[in-house]
């Protein structure tokens, strides 16, 4: 785990923490300009409870790193345009109290302020931000370690599952073969039932024809009886 001294001395370690701008408001509220993006040197000094001179000196020493993390220096027409935008966003309220830089203006983003928090030695607020960053990183490392242990347990379980599946494989093959056999027997039974159904249809037709013949034979017998009766009367 990196230490506070390492964070102060190592630009690479600071770069790893630059995405954690959320810690600024967790330590202390950072009041932004009306655009919601920038703060001035005096706003940064007020946040860290140090002098504006201390912020300016630190900015001069680490200007290249801070520029990479959002620091802007406005001059001339760009500065005048920014002042007009701020006055417009303020909507008339507090315009008189809004200080306008005469020649240049340094603007800091939240990312730049976090960068300063990892560079500023003589500020209790900056120390709190660094402590919060390091504690959060340690908590994250602990979570990763716990996750790694859980993944290891899952992998060991999967190993057991693999062996069980290997043992279950032959059983599943035999069950599949038995099911295939049952399917074949069911198909044969279906064919037999179909043939019996056709045969029964033929038998039904034969019975119908036999009934017709019996009815005809019965009619013939009645006719013979009537004839015999007439002869006897004569």
């Amino acid at each position: 785990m990196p230490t506070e001294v390492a964070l102060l001395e190592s630009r690479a370690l600071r770069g790893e923490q630059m995405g954690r701008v959320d810690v600024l408001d967790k330590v202390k509220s950072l009041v932004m300009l009306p655009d919601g993006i920038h703060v001035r040197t005096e706003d940064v000094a007020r946040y860290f409870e140090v002098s504006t001179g201390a912020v300016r000196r630190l900015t001069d020493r680490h200007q290249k790193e801070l520029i990479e993390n959002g620091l802007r220096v406005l001059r001339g027409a760009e500065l005048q345009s920014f002042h007009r935008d701020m006055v417009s966003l303020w909507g008339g309220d507090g315009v008189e109290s809004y200080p306008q830089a005469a020649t240049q203006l340094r603007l800091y983003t939240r990312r730049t302020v976090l960068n300063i928090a990892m560079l500023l030695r003589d500020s209790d607020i900056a120390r709190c931000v660094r402590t919060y960053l390091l504690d959060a990183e340690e908590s994250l490392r602990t979570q990763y370690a716990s996750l790694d242990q859980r993944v290891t347990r899952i992998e060991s379980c999967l190993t057991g599952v693999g062996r069980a599946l290997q043992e279950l494989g032959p059983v599943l093959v035999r069950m599949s073969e038995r099911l295939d056999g049952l399917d074949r027997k069911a198909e044969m039974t279906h064919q037999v039932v179909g043939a019996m159904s056709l045969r029964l249809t033929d038998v039904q037709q034969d019975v119908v024809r036999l009934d017709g013949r019996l009815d005809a034979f019965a009619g013939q017998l009645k006719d013979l009886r009537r004839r015999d009766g007439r002869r006897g009367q004569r």
Side-chain angles (χ1 to χ4, degrees), residues 1-18 48 58 61-62 65-66 113-131 133-134 137:
M1 174 182 172
T3 64
E4 183 179 357
V5 174
L7 198 61
L8 287 165
E9 299 296 337
S10 173
R11 182 172 176 177
L13 288 178
R14 292 193 293 272
E16 294 177 0
Q17 302 294 332
M18 290 312 304
F48 289 112
L58 185 142
R61 288 196 303 271
H62 302 277
E65 179 180 346
L66 294 173
V113 176
L114 180 61
N115 199 160
I116 291 175
M118 291 185 281
L119 290 166
L120 190 59
R121 297 174 182 271
D122 300 325
S123 166
D124 291 337
I125 300 300
R127 292 191 194 96
C128 287
V129 172
R130 292 193 293 270
T131 299
L133 284 173
L134 295 173
E137 182 172 344

Side-chain angles (χ1 to χ4, degrees), residues 77-126:
E78 190 177 18
L79 175 60
Q80 294 176 7
S81 175
F82 179 80
H83 283 321
R84 286 194 298 270
D85 291 342
M86 290 302 100
V87 171
S88 175
L89 289 171
W90 233 303
D93 296 332
V95 173
E96 295 180 358
S97 63
Y98 170 65
Q100 300 187 14
T103 58
Q104 72 173 27
L105 176 65
R106 286 175 174 173
L107 293 177
Y108 307 76
T109 63
R110 288 180 178 272
R111 190 179 176 92
T112 322
V113 176
L114 180 61
N115 199 160
I116 291 175
M118 291 185 281
L119 290 166
L120 190 59
R121 297 174 182 271
D122 300 325
S123 166
D124 291 337
I125 300 300

